[in-house]
């Protein structure tokens, strides 16, 4: 398609490859990257190459990326400092009979950076760490039950996956209780009713659920939760997999002002290299050591070297400040464009991990239309999932994105043409 | 997985039997059987807690997913398992008629032929599927059975009730492009199904053609792959569609027995 002499993107090669994939792979592409989670057919499906804050799909379309691989990319794709550290380690050793010395260096770095941390444990994915943390909490307390917040995502293990997903049984969830986000009284009541049985409370630092508006903690929520956990001897676990290292390098709890017992990190910790970490207070170290938890590649040295370099680079580049500034510039620009076109945009979440909704669009039809139109013009906006900024995004990238958004908004207005969003899509 | 005989019986009574209302409109043989019937027929389990009624009048049928609004020939199955076995063709144990039904014995002897017509459309042979109009009717009737079946499962299956209660509120429309449609209003774990398009659904799922719809309705489709390849289009409040999916899976499980 052409617009002002400039083509909007099509995804023919993505579609073609997906057709083949669907004959070989369940779902074609599964999990969070499944096309079903976006607007199927209106987004690219396969990446060809990536550099800095941009990537190209297999149709040759280039995108300024506001998903950052769903969070892991924090310093830019192909960052030479991180890739250099990984390559240096690769030349020495990666997956062998033993971990490399870099494992101890990385643990030491995390203990130095994260105020609550006295020790660190490593794996591959965020879900490894949330499961590990709950096991450690059970080992520490000799209790079974875990309280979660409804809608918070902690991975795909059956204990934290919604009943109804394939293979998950009601029994898998029988020790998992749920409270609503920001419902301190509900949490207090649940803790009281199950006194002596709750091993842990696990939650994200703020409410950032797919398809929903992001909600920050209410005044006094986290300090209240912390107090109840102390009184009831419940282990407080922060799932900082998604937000970690974008709000505060010491953990998002430092941003919101509370002290968990365990923190789970992944995504940004290795700038795309596969690694996750759980850090904790010394009181839990003995129990943590009793949890038998491992995997074939968990001791691989290359991701650890990359993570060490990433943490150092995040400190050296004032990453948190930079991402906040870029995110604010993006959000302010989008809100202004919405106002000018008479479609009010409602941003939510911290600027470094922003998301938008249109007012009066509870079914997300407008989000789906607008985000896919922006994406077709060269800036990847997910319609249902919070976005991510990175250190690699600069002012020029943001301005280019706002130009894409301006043109996309015109396309949305044209598609609406007096119709309801439901009929326009 | 333990399935409830009572829930399956409710599916037959409230999602399957009422299809005769629509079948009578398209099937001449059915119209011929019922042309002189002017009475109400009620199928039920003992006590009438689960019941379904067909109101015959001058060659038409009106279906009620409840007890008959007036006097009726009542056929009572001895229990849910027996009803299910009869509908599955695994038993020929006849339901017990009431006194009013005894006066309609001549008509009641033909009820079995009517019920077989439902099977004819829900489990069509190749000949029927090769006729475009008949194929469209098969898809439409199966969609009707599906949405009313979802209501039964979501409201009555003990495993699915908690899941249904957590569904977002709204109306989801399921349609075939330029073809049949159904919709389902969901609120607080209760379902209000409807035939045809919704005025303004919160979410919709659109099959690109009858064939795609049929494959999905037979449970033979990788839905994720079909959506990714645009054979099925979804828009709007996706968690509503996503949340109904396990209920649909459970419905298939019930009906596969």
């Amino acid at each position: 398609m052409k617009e002002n002499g400039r083509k909007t993107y099509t995804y023919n090669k993505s579609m073609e490859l997906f057709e083949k994939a669907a004959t070989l792979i369940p779902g074609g592409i599964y999990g969070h990257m499944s096309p079903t989670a976006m607007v199927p057919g209106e987004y690219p499906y396969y990446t060809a190459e990536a550099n800095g804050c941009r990537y190209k799909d297999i149709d040759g379309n280039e995108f300024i990326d506001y998903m950052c691989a769903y969070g892991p990319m924090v310093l830019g794709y192909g960052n030479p400092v991180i890739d250099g550290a990984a390559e240096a380690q690769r030349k020495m050793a990666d997956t062998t009979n033993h971990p490399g010395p870099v494992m101890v260096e990385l643990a030491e770095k995390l203990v130095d950076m994260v105020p609550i941390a006295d020790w660190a444990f490593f794996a591959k994915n965020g879900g490894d760490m949330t499961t590990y943390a709950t096991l450690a909490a059970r080992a520490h307390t000799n209790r079974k039950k875990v309280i979660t917040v409804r809608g918070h995502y902690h991975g795909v293990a059956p204990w934290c996956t919604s009943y109804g997903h394939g293979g998950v049984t009601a029994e898998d969830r029988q020790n998992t209780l749920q409270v609503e986000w920001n419902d301190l009284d509900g949490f207090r009541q649940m803790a009281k009713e199950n006194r002596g049985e709750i091993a842990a409370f696990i939650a994200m630092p703020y409410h950032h659920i797919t398809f929903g508006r992001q909600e920050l903690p209410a005044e006094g929520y986290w300090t209240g939760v912390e107090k109840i956990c102390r009184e009831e001897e419940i282990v407080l676990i922060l799932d900082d997999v998604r937000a970690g290292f974008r709000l505060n390098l010491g953990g998002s709890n430092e941003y919101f002002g509370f002290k968990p017992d365990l923190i789970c990190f992944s995504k940004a910790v290795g700038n795309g290299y596969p690694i996750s970490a759980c850090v904790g207070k010394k009181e839990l170290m003995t129990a943590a050591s009793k949890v038998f938890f491992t995997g074939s590649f968990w001791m691989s040295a290359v991701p650890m070297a990359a993570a060490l370099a990433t943490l150092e680079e995040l400190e050296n580049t004032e990453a948190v400040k930079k991402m906040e500034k870029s995110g604010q510039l993006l959000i302010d620009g989008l809100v202004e464009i919405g106002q000018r076109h008479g479609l009010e945009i409602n941003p939510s979440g911290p600027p470094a991990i922003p998301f938008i909704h249109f007012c009066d669009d509870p079914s997300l039809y407008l989000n789906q239309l607008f985000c896919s139109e922006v994406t077709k013009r060269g800036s990847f906006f997910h319609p249902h999932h919070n976005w991510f900024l990175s250190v690699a995004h600069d002012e020029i990238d943001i301005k280019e994105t706002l130009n894409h958004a301006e043109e996309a908004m015109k396309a949305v207005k044209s598609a609406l043409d007096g119709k309801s969003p439901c009929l326009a899509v | 997985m333990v399935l409830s005989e009572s829930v399956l019986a409710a599916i037959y009574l409230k999602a399957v039997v009422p299809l005769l209302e629509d079948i009578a409109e398209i099937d001449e043989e059915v119209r011929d059987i019922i042309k002189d019937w002017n009475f109400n027929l009620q199928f039920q389990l003992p006590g009438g807690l689960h019941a379904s009624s067909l109101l015959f009048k001058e060659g038409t049928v009106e279906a009620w997913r409840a007890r008959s609004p007036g006097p009726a020939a009542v056929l009572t199955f001895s229990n849910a398992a027996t009803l299910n076995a009869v509908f599955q063709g695994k038993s020929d144990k006849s339901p017990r008629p009431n006194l009013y039904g005894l006066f309609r014995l001549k008509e009641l002897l033909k009820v079995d032929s009517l019920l077989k017509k439902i099977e004819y459309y829900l489990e069509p042979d190749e000949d029927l599927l090769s006729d475009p109009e008949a194929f469209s009717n098969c898809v439409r009737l199966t969609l009707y059975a599906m949405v009313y079946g979802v209501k039964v499962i979501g409201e009555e299956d003990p495993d699915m009730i908690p899941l249904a209660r957590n569904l977002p509120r709204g109306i989801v429309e399921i349609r075939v492009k330029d073809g049949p449609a159904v919709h389902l209003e969901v609120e607080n774990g209760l379902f209000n199904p409807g035939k045809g398009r919704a005025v303004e659904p919160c979410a919709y799922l659109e099959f690109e053609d009858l064939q795609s719809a049929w494959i999905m309705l037979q449970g033979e489709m990788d839905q994720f792959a079909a959506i990714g390849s645009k054979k099925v289009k979804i828009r709007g409040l996706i968690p509503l569609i996503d949340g109904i999916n396990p209920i649909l899976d459970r419905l298939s499980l019930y009906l596969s027995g």
Side-chain angles (χ1 to χ4, degrees), chain A residues 19 27 40 45 163 363 365 368 425, chain B residues 163 201-202 204 222 228-229 236-237:
Chain A
E19 289 283 349
Y45 290 175
Y163 178 56
S363 300
Y365 285 116
Q368 290 161 5
V425 300
Chain B
L163 196 147
C202 301
Y204 69 79
D222 180 337
S229 59
L237 195 59

Side-chain angles (χ1 to χ4, degrees), chain A residues 2-57:
Chain A
K2 274 198 165 181
E3 178 181 271
N4 299 333
R6 186 172 178 269
K7 275 188 177 174
T8 54
Y9 295 167
T10 54
Y11 309 110
N12 298 332
K13 287 184 181 168
S14 266
M15 297 304 296
E16 200 178 310
L17 186 57
F18 185 82
E19 289 283 349
K20 182 178 179 184
T23 66
L24 299 164
I25 300 164
I29 302 170
Y30 43 79
H32 63 297
M33 292 189 188
S34 164
T36 58
M38 299 184 288
V39 184
E42 306 294 322
Y43 276 81
Y45 290 175
Y46 296 95
T47 301
E49 54 186 276
N51 189 49
C53 69
R54 296 175 186 243
Y55 76 99
K56 280 187 181 173
D57 69 4

Side-chain angles (χ1 to χ4, degrees), chain B residues 41-111:
Chain B
L41 173 61
Q42 179 177 316
F43 299 90
Q44 68 168 31
L45 290 179
L49 185 64
H50 281 313
S52 179
S53 305
L54 299 171
L55 282 50
F56 298 105
K57 194 176 179 186
E58 293 162 7
T60 65
V61 182
E62 185 185 348
W64 283 53
R65 292 170 176 80
R67 292 181 191 207
S68 161
V74 179
L75 293 175
T76 304
F77 293 85
S78 56
N79 55 46
T82 304
L83 184 149
N84 298 333
V86 169
F87 276 89
Q88 288 165 338
K90 294 174 183 170
S91 166
D92 54 6
K93 205 170 175 182
S94 299
R96 180 170 45 84
N98 63 351
L99 188 61
Y100 185 93
L102 290 175
F103 292 107
R104 294 281 177 189
L105 268 184
K106 195 178 110 194
E107 289 91 342
L108 295 186
L109 287 170
K110 293 180 183 171
V111 166

Side-chain angles (χ1 to χ4, degrees), chain B residues 20-33:
Chain B
L20 276 171
E21 176 179 289
D22 307 281
I23 292 172
E25 289 174 6
I26 57 172
D27 192 295
E28 210 168 318
E29 284 178 33
V30 168
R31 278 201 300 275
D32 194 48
I33 295 172

